[in-house]
Amino acid sequence: MSTELKLLIDGKLVDGAGTFDVVNPATGQAFTQAPRADEAQLNQAVAAARAAFPAWSALDVEERAAKIEALAAALESRTAEFASLLTQEQGKPLDQATYEVIGCTKILRAFRDRRLETKVLRDENGNKIIEHRTPLGVCGLITPWNFPLILLMNKLGPALITGNTVVVKPAPTTPLTSLLFGQLAADILPAGVLNVIADQNDLGGVLTSHPDVDKIAFTGSTGTGKKVMASAAALVKRVTLELGGNDAAIVLDDVDPKAAAAKVYGGAMTNAGQICVAIKRAYVHSSIYDEFCDEIANLANAAIVDDGSKQGTTIGPIQNKMQYDKVVSLIEDAATRGKVIAGGKPLDRDGYFVPPTIVRDITDDAPLVREEQFGPVLPVLSYDDINDVVNRANDSEFGLGGTVWGKDLDRATDVAKRINTGTVWINQYLAIDPNIPFRGAKQSGMGAELGEAGLNEYTQAHVVNAVAFA
Ligand code: NAD
């Protein structure tokens, strides 16, 4: 087994100090190796990014925009290759992988077109105050394994257009698409502007505490996010944290339960439930609860659970063994606290396959309801009173997203406004848009990605306050 992909350090594609296996979750077997950086290579990457920063940040923004367009165009022309590799390393069905790669080009182009605004805060009586924005320097971009490529673009687009240079560190179980992107970028960006290293979960802390890294943009679990924040505190480093969630779906009593079940099913099971803003618990009004449960169980039973590279697969494997074990144990526990009406047992085959599982009549204190399952299993709970269900939805340390499903939009909006999260979607799910900021409340994160707010996260606001010399 050989490694074909290389690290990208200072514009050069180089071997790692070592290598490590990358497992295809559909087989549970290693299918290739990735180059593994050591601390010295990480330091080289940071030094290269530091050295590249003055020239890159001094370029005219239109020149940086042209480079971002070149990245987007190159990625677009290799969509099939990236999607196939993404399915192999991550497990998701090929159509969802293709969708992720296409989404990446859209995000890059959205940031290609963004410009920093200089604001005049005051211009009166001889006093002119302007606020402009300057790049931060070297940014460490740390990504998780559920959407390895798109979550990188959410960070890379704004970092590059605003004039920062970056060191990228993907998750150890999904390093390949980020390394392939590094290879693509090596022909486009000046040396040192983008560096890509891979590790075995040992270099994240080194990057976050590195004295020459000015900002960390992190997506991952809340537990690791806390470590990132603590590590960044030593130098008051800027951080953006996009962390875990336990999004509630509230299904109001005026919807067709079958239609709502189909939507909630999609929101819960896409990418085998491994989405920060997946629907992770559903609260359904008691008047339509039975019908809703029957329909969502039918949908789960009709899923085609298989290798994501096979045509027709609707649910791929769970991405890694550790997550698979966690999901299986949550399901085993949930079976003692509620009624499993679809799925319930991992598939008896190689790979990390768990069929979509629906659990009804489960108690609010069950771990499946309280924790982030991050897998294809959904608890469905019933409610009678709207105030009660709002309290139950808000009774969580997480505050990432949520959905409300209702025909009466005013009523649904009133409910949505009472949900304490960064985003609530009404009658839709996963409506993430490159131009709309996305952020977590409570322990789901800090700072924003996407939109103007996501752009500003890569800058320092700087006020110049002038009066005439007297
Ligand atoms: P994780 O926290 O285990 O790992 C994320 C990244 O952090 C990996 O690259 C890992 O190598 C790195 N890392 C590990 N230890 C580190 C340390 N001490 N310092 C710095 N970096 C370190 O998360 P995961 O299991 O890969 O991803 C799943 C989690 O990500 C879920 O909780 C999910 O909700 C969350 N997530 C959040 C969003 C969002 O936008 N809010 C999006 C996707 C996923």
Side-chain angles (χ1 to χ4, degrees):
M1 214 177 306
S2 65
T3 168
E4 291 154 22
L5 289 166
K6 311 262 186 201
L7 309 174
L8 176 62
I9 300 176
D10 201 11
K12 294 179 210 59
L13 294 164
V14 297
D15 288 330
T19 58
F20 61 96
D21 286 346
V22 182
V23 169
N24 180 339
T27 62
Q29 302 297 320
F31 70 102
T32 189
Q33 291 194 312
R36 179 180 181 179
D38 62 9
E39 204 170 323
Q41 289 182 308
L42 181 146
N43 288 334
Q44 286 165 15
V46 173
R50 173 61 58 204
F53 176 66
W56 179 248
S57 57
L59 270 188
D60 187 277
V61 65
E62 299 306 328
E63 291 184 52
R64 289 199 298 269
K67 295 287 189 199
I68 294 174
E69 171 51 32
L71 290 174
L75 182 58
E76 195 169 42
S77 71
R78 291 169 66 176
T79 299
E81 179 190 357
F82 271 86
S84 157
L85 188 63
L86 185 54
T87 291
Q88 275 186 296
E89 70 171 347
Q90 204 282 334
K92 65 185 66 187
L94 193 54
D95 57 342
Q96 292 180 33
T98 304
Y99 189 74
E100 180 170 346
V101 179
I102 292 169
C104 290
T105 61
K106 288 187 180 154
I107 291 167
L108 285 175
R109 288 183 167 132
F111 283 105
R112 171 200 66 191
D113 293 342
R114 280 206 173 265
R115 298 291 174 269
L116 290 171
E117 309 235 337
T118 296
K119 283 189 191 159
V120 178
L121 302 182
R122 185 180 299 154
D123 191 4
E124 59 189 24
N125 304 326
N127 182 198
K128 185 156 187 180
I129 308 179
I130 58 162
E131 182 184 79
H132 65 117
R133 290 189 166 268
T134 56
L136 295 169
V138 177
C139 301
L141 313 184
I142 302 179
T143 51
W145 45 256
N146 59 338
F147 285 87
L149 212 46
I150 213 161
L151 294 169
L152 170 58
M153 300 307 146
N154 285 358
K155 300 166 180 57
L156 189 65
L160 292 184
I161 193 70
T162 50
N164 298 279
T165 56
V166 306
V167 177
V168 173
K169 195 211 79 62
T173 56
T174 53
L176 302 177
T177 43
S178 297
L179 292 165
L180 185 62
F181 187 80
Q183 184 197 78
L184 168 155
D187 293 334
I188 296 172
L189 294 172
V193 169
L194 168 74
N195 304 271
V196 185
I197 57 162
D199 73 338
Q200 278 205 293
N201 245 351
D202 53 331
L203 292 181
V206 184
L207 188 60
T208 58
S209 60
H210 199 293
D212 245 351
V213 172
D214 301 285
K215 180 202 166 83
I216 295 291
F218 172 86
T219 299
S221 61
T222 295
T224 311
K226 289 177 186 177
K227 288 189 199 159
V228 171
M229 201 167 162
S231 161
L235 294 173
V236 198
K237 208 168 270 188
R238 301 301 180 262
V239 286
T240 311
L241 302 175
E242 296 291 344
L243 308 178
N246 192 9
D247 292 8
I250 298 180
V251 183
L252 301 176
D253 57 5
D254 63 352
V255 295
D256 167 16
K258 285 196 169 183
K263 305 274 191 193
V264 169
Y265 177 81
M269 299 300 174
T270 303
N271 204 31
Q274 302 160 113
I275 308 185
C276 54
V277 281
I279 294 173
K280 294 186 178 136
R281 40 196 177 127
Y283 297 90
V284 182
H285 192 267
S286 57
S287 62
I288 54 171
Y289 183 69
D290 287 337
E291 247 188 292
F292 181 99
C293 286
D294 291 348
E295 180 64 12
I296 200 164
N298 288 339
L299 292 166
N301 286 325
I304 299 170
V305 185
D306 207 336
D307 185 329
S309 64
K310 282 200 192 151
Q311 214 177 1
T313 296
T314 56
I315 304 247
I318 289 178
Q319 201 279 318
N320 58 72
K321 177 76 165 63
M322 202 197 281
Q323 188 62 26
Y324 168 84
D325 288 343
K326 179 179 165 187
V327 171
V328 169
S329 104
L330 276 173
I331 292 176
E332 281 168 5
D333 176 85
T336 68
R337 300 167 192 265
K339 190 168 166 207
V340 177
I341 53 172
K345 294 249 177 313
L347 299 192
D348 184 16
R349 59 177 279 185
D350 289 339
Y352 312 134
F353 291 97
V354 173
T357 296
I358 307 292
V359 188
R360 61 169 287 173
D361 302 318
I362 186 166
T363 51
D364 276 17
D365 61 355
L368 179 61
V369 179
R370 296 217 55 88
E371 294 175 17
E372 181 183 42
Q373 65 271 50
F374 221 64
V377 46
L378 181 73
V380 184
L381 303 103
S382 89
Y383 74 91
D384 290 307
D385 176 65
I386 204 73
N387 292 323
D388 170 56
V389 77
V390 166
N391 289 338
R392 287 160 75 194
N394 283 334
D395 179 19
S396 170
E397 75 228 37
F398 296 110
L400 195 56
T403 55
V404 178
W405 305 86
K407 272 207 157 140
D408 178 342
L409 264 191
D410 290 337
R411 188 163 72 120
T413 304
D414 283 344
V415 175
K417 280 157 96 176
R418 295 170 63 192
I419 305 300
N420 186 7
T421 60
T423 301
V424 182
W425 289 298
I426 297 176
N427 298 328
Q428 54 180 347
Y429 61 89
L430 280 185
I432 291 179
D433 179 319
N435 289 310
I436 304 297
F438 174 77
R439 49 170 81 82
K442 300 193 269 184
Q443 292 188 35
S444 287
M446 182 174 258
E449 284 199 334
L450 305 177
E452 187 186 354
L455 185 80
N456 288 344
E457 295 280 349
Y458 291 82
T459 65
Q460 174 65 49
H462 183 245
V463 170
V464 177
N465 183 340
V467 292
F469 187 76

